[in-house]
Amino acid sequence: MACITLLLAILHVHKALCEVTFWDTAVQLSETMTLECVYPLTDNLTQVEWTKISGSETVTIAVYNPNLHMHIDHNYFHRVHFLNTTLEFRNMSLSFYNASEADVGIYSCLFHSFPGGPWEKKIKVVQSDSFEITAPSNGYLSAEPGQNVTLSCQLPNNWPMQQVMWEKVQPHQVDVLASCNLSQRTSYTSKYLRKTWSNCSQGSTQSVLIIPNATSADSGLYRCRSEASTGEQKTYVIRLIITDGLMEVHPCSTLAIPIAGGANKHFILPIVGGSVSLLLVILIIITIIFYSRRRRRQVRTPLKEPSDKQSKVATNCRSPTSPIHSVDDEKEDIYVNYPTFSRRPKPRF
């Protein structure tokens, strides 16, 4: 009997040591990192607690109560602060000053609410490069704002599937969106701010993730990870692009590349407007230069009609009875008839 008890105790200790704590979000370690924690429901909140989990030990970081205000542990007093502590205090994201390797580990954000009860989010801080570098995309999907986006992941048919997980991958953070344990037929309730839906059924050949009313903030990398009961794993990454109706044309090709996010829209519209204005100014300058040069040529070279044309015009305009004589007529002698008087001496009286 004593041997059986000892064996059970050893198995319990081994299970505790080998058990991996499940996390909702993984964050890259940095000096000014932020651990996001926002309560998504409308229940009445009474208190929130931040703790760090180190094996079986739990270290309190901060406790906030709207009636008793804030309490921060002396080990973290000058190292952490809350981004937002409003009356409802639903956003209790925790920011670190000068974080170091000692801050690597798993953190718990626990809300106490009425009548919903406790709501907990676990965040894992790891030393890592950009998460997007370790998750290269296998394909992409383009959609417009307001659409219901469906992301699909093909599952191996010959695997005894045990678990399927959907994650959103950002450069500094990875959030778990959906997780299904097919062998136990249990699903995970996401702590991510964006509400999504995923199927969870044994024997399914593919897993889908539905994002309702997509916005520009939904653009990014989404990873589907499947694991068999034999330990085999498969990963598929797809990039979602919310075009927002704008297309960017590459200058060296005719391929139209959709622009992700409405945030880029605020940068593209001023660029397009500035380009059009610059083109209009250039056209006005060219027109002014052209007409200026043309006017200078007219001033320097007066208009002269051909001599033939001038003679023809003079001939056509002359009347047969015109008193105007030619040059030859002016050279001829002019004779005038006048009477001859005799030269008689004047009588003298």
Side-chain angles (χ1 to χ4, degrees):
M1 185 68 182
C3 293
I4 295 176
T5 304
L6 179 61
L7 181 60
L8 292 176
I10 294 174
L11 290 176
H12 179 74
V13 172
H14 177 74
K15 181 179 180 181
L17 293 175
C18 297
E19 184 178 0
V20 179
T21 303
F22 184 82
W23 48 267
D24 303 282
T25 299
V27 177
Q28 178 187 11
L29 175 65
S30 62
E31 291 185 1
T32 57
M33 64 181 180
T34 299
L35 310 184
E36 295 181 355
C37 185
V38 181
Y39 188 73
L41 305 179
T42 58
D43 295 338
N44 183 26
L45 299 177
T46 58
Q47 185 169 291
V48 62
E49 301 175 15
W50 271 99
T51 58
K52 183 179 181 181
I53 303 174
S54 300
S56 59
E57 183 182 1
T58 301
V59 178
T60 300
I61 299 175
V63 178
Y64 179 74
N65 187 294
N67 299 322
L68 303 175
H69 304 290
M70 178 76 67
H71 169 74
I72 299 179
D73 186 81
H74 67 278
N75 293 322
Y76 292 90
F77 188 75
H78 295 291
R79 299 182 54 230
V80 299
H81 73 284
F82 289 90
L83 293 181
N84 184 20
T85 54
T86 60
L87 295 177
E88 296 181 349
F89 67 92
R90 297 182 182 277
N91 184 355
M92 295 300 295
S93 299
L94 187 67
S95 292
F96 280 74
Y97 296 114
N98 299 322
S100 62
E101 295 182 3
D103 296 312
V104 172
I106 296 179
Y107 295 81
S108 171
C109 173
L110 178 62
F111 279 93
H112 297 275
S113 64
F114 180 84
W119 181 93
E120 184 180 20
K121 179 179 181 179
K122 292 184 178 179
I123 302 173
K124 182 179 181 181
V125 177
V126 297
Q127 285 183 312
S128 174
D129 296 329
S130 174
F131 289 114
E132 287 188 346
I133 297 177
T134 59
S137 60
N138 302 108
Y140 76 94
L141 176 64
S142 179
E144 294 183 358
Q147 292 182 343
N148 294 334
V149 178
T150 301
L151 306 178
S152 60
C153 171
Q154 193 68 30
L155 303 178
N157 298 328
N158 54 348
W159 284 11
M161 199 58 58
Q162 179 178 356
Q163 187 174 6
V164 179
M165 181 182 298
W166 280 95
E167 301 168 323
K168 182 175 182 180
V169 182
Q170 302 180 63
H172 68 287
Q173 183 172 309
V174 176
D175 294 284
V176 179
L177 306 182
S179 180
C180 295
N181 192 320
L182 302 179
S183 60
Q184 299 179 3
R185 296 183 179 181
T186 57
S187 60
Y188 156 80
T189 302
S190 174
K191 304 301 189 300
Y192 187 59
L193 288 177
R194 191 74 166 90
K195 293 297 182 181
T196 59
W197 289 274
S198 178
N199 63 335
C200 186
S201 58
Q202 186 70 32
S204 177
T205 58
Q206 69 176 358
S207 176
V208 297
L209 179 72
I210 301 175
I211 305 175
N213 299 322
T215 64
S216 59
D218 295 318
S219 299
L221 291 177
Y222 292 82
R223 179 169 57 192
C224 171
R225 297 196 298 176
S226 56
E227 181 179 356
S229 58
T230 56
E232 297 175 287
Q233 296 181 353
K234 182 180 178 180
T235 301
Y236 180 79
V237 180
I238 183 171
R239 179 177 292 276
L240 175 62
I241 302 173
I242 306 300
T243 60
D244 200 17
L246 297 176
M247 299 295 289
E248 179 181 4
V249 180
H250 196 276
C252 299
S253 66
T254 58
L255 177 62
I257 305 174
I259 300 172
N264 292 340
K265 176 180 179 181
H266 301 287
F267 295 98
I268 293 172
L269 291 180
I271 293 175
V272 174
S275 302
V276 173
S277 301
L278 179 60
L279 180 60
L280 182 60
V281 171
I282 293 174
L283 290 176
I284 293 175
I285 294 174
I286 293 175
T287 304
I288 294 174
I289 294 174
F290 175 77
Y291 280 102
S292 177
R293 290 184 177 179
R294 185 176 179 183
R295 186 176 183 84
R296 288 179 182 178
R297 290 177 183 176
Q298 290 178 354
V299 172
R300 292 179 182 177
T301 309
L303 182 61
K304 293 184 179 180
E305 295 183 354
S307 58
D308 296 341
K309 183 176 180 180
Q310 290 180 353
S311 62
K312 290 181 180 179
V313 172
T315 305
N316 294 335
C317 296
R318 182 176 179 180
S319 173
T321 59
S322 175
I324 301 175
H325 302 281
S326 63
V327 178
D328 296 337
D329 295 340
E330 292 179 358
K331 293 181 180 180
E332 294 179 355
D333 296 334
I334 301 174
Y335 297 92
V336 178
N337 294 325
Y338 59 91
T340 303
F341 298 94
S342 63
R343 296 181 178 179
R344 295 180 181 179
K346 296 181 179 180
R348 294 181 179 178
F349 299 94

